[in-house]
Amino acid sequence: MTSRLTSPPASPLGIIGAGAIGATIARLAVAAGLDIVIGNSRGPETLAELVNELGPRARAATSHEVAREAGIVIAAIPLIAYTDLPASELAGKVVLDTTNYYPQRDGRIRALDDQESTASELVQGHLADSFVVKAFNNITFASLGNGCRPTGSSERSTLPIAGDDADAKQHASALLDTLGYDALDIGPLSQGWRSEPGTPAYCDPYMPAWPAGSLSTDELVAWLLSAPVIPVSVEQARTLIASAVRGPAGGYFPETS
Ligand SMILES: NC(=O)c1ccc[n+]([C@@H]2O[C@H](COP(=O)([O-])OP(=O)(O)OC[C@H]3O[C@@H](n4cnc5c(N)ncnc54)[C@H](OP(=O)(O)O)[C@@H]3O)[C@@H](O)[C@H]2O)c1
């Protein structure tokens, strides 16, 4: 890594990817008083409805503009698209990587299948001059949107973060705090597998047991959005992370009817 990290302004927060997780983080950020600039692959004009919903703190832009204009940028895109992240514009910046490996969606990635890398190490390899922090990957968009709580609340949840740069992780923790979450530093990016799909800390601790039987995609989303959020304390998160055993990489989307 050749760039030095300069202290980034928290606002505007950049978000590349405006789907389930990107739009949820955008809503949390706007609710917390941050300005956001958000982009996707199809262009800013396709984000008019979302930006309209988010109000005057939100602006749509191209991914390259997002990367240029924001100090901290969230990468909320399918892992398969990580090489599209604009590396030169993101140089020197903190990039919070939400991605997870789902072979059904992303295809097989040998370095992950062979456990030579974690998903966020791949992203860091592409963004060689950025400061990648793995964050927001182990909670569903629905739990994330419904589970934010103010600092000190007994119902506050903890999200693991991993990264190779201590300052970048501090900035990530501060952002999580602003959005309503405690952060647990689980180590460098090489330890990021501990919060990846299939591990004890992945999604399930924040929600009730999945409903039995086959649901349609719409029913599943409705269930996720209406399910109560189960708070995960720092100590609980630490225990879950410590109990992880590295198994085959990648998650599996449940079949929907
Ligand atoms: N959904 C969850 O609950 C959840 C939770 C934690 C982590 N994650 C992870 O977070 C990532 C995003 O998941 P998601 O569920 O939010 O996905 P999603 O709903 O499918 O949204 C993906 C977004 O990424 C954009 N995108 C795709 N390729 C792009 C590119 N090359 N450049 C710029 N933008 C691009 C898409 O824009 P277009 O529509 O214009 O292509 C879309 O806005 C995934 O890696 C996922 O595994 C998801």
Side-chain angles (χ1 to χ4, degrees), residues 149-172:
R149 296 289 183 276
T151 315
S153 163
S154 60
E155 294 187 338
R156 211 175 210 227
S157 274
T158 304
L159 298 177
I161 59 169
D164 296 341
D165 184 273
D167 290 341
K169 284 193 278 195
Q170 278 199 356
H171 292 299

Side-chain angles (χ1 to χ4, degrees), residues 93-105:
K93 302 197 175 191
V94 178
V95 178
L96 270 57
D97 172 32
T98 75
T99 65
N100 286 305
Y101 177 38
Y102 277 86
Q104 281 161 295
R105 177 193 59 201

Side-chain angles (χ1 to χ4, degrees), residues 136-214:
F136 299 116
N137 71 295
N138 77 315
I139 185 167
T140 71
F141 75 98
S143 302
L144 182 66
N146 292 331
C148 64
R149 296 289 183 276
T151 315
S153 163
S154 60
E155 294 187 338
R156 211 175 210 227
S157 274
T158 304
L159 298 177
I161 59 169
D164 296 341
D165 184 273
D167 290 341
K169 284 193 278 195
Q170 278 199 356
H171 292 299
S173 298
L175 177 65
L176 262 63
D177 183 41
T178 301
L179 301 186
Y181 287 88
D182 288 335
L184 172 69
D185 182 355
I186 66 169
L189 294 176
S190 60
Q191 291 295 305
W193 62 267
R194 289 181 176 277
S195 69
E196 287 182 352
T199 61
Y202 191 73
C203 295
D204 290 355
Y206 303 90
M207 54 195 242
W210 289 90
S214 178

Side-chain angles (χ1 to χ4, degrees), residues 98-148:
T98 75
T99 65
N100 286 305
Y101 177 38
Y102 277 86
Q104 281 161 295
R105 177 193 59 201
D106 300 315
R108 303 246 55 128
I109 301 177
R110 192 194 54 77
L112 299 181
D113 289 337
D114 292 352
Q115 300 187 348
E116 288 167 7
S117 182
T118 62
S120 295
E121 284 180 302
L122 285 184
V123 175
Q124 178 70 81
H126 171 62
L127 302 177
D129 290 327
S130 302
F131 299 86
V132 172
V133 179
K134 185 180 195 74
F136 299 116
N137 71 295
N138 77 315
I139 185 167
T140 71
F141 75 98
S143 302
L144 182 66
N146 292 331
C148 64

Side-chain angles (χ1 to χ4, degrees), residues 26-118:
R27 291 186 187 102
L28 292 180
V30 164
L34 301 181
D35 293 331
I36 64 126
V37 53
I38 187 164
N40 62 0
S41 75
R42 288 166 297 141
E45 62 286 355
T46 64
L47 294 173
E49 194 179 331
L50 176 65
V51 165
N52 189 43
E53 174 210 318
L54 291 167
R57 288 196 177 281
R59 196 157 47 83
T62 66
S63 297
H64 288 261
E65 288 163 347
V66 171
R68 262 198 305 276
E69 292 172 22
I72 299 180
V73 175
I74 315 279
I77 61 175
L79 179 61
I80 186 64
Y82 77 94
T83 52
D84 289 342
L85 291 168
S88 57
E89 287 95 336
L90 289 170
K93 302 197 175 191
V94 178
V95 178
L96 270 57
D97 172 32
T98 75
T99 65
N100 286 305
Y101 177 38
Y102 277 86
Q104 281 161 295
R105 177 193 59 201
D106 300 315
R108 303 246 55 128
I109 301 177
R110 192 194 54 77
L112 299 181
D113 289 337
D114 292 352
Q115 300 187 348
E116 288 167 7
S117 182
T118 62

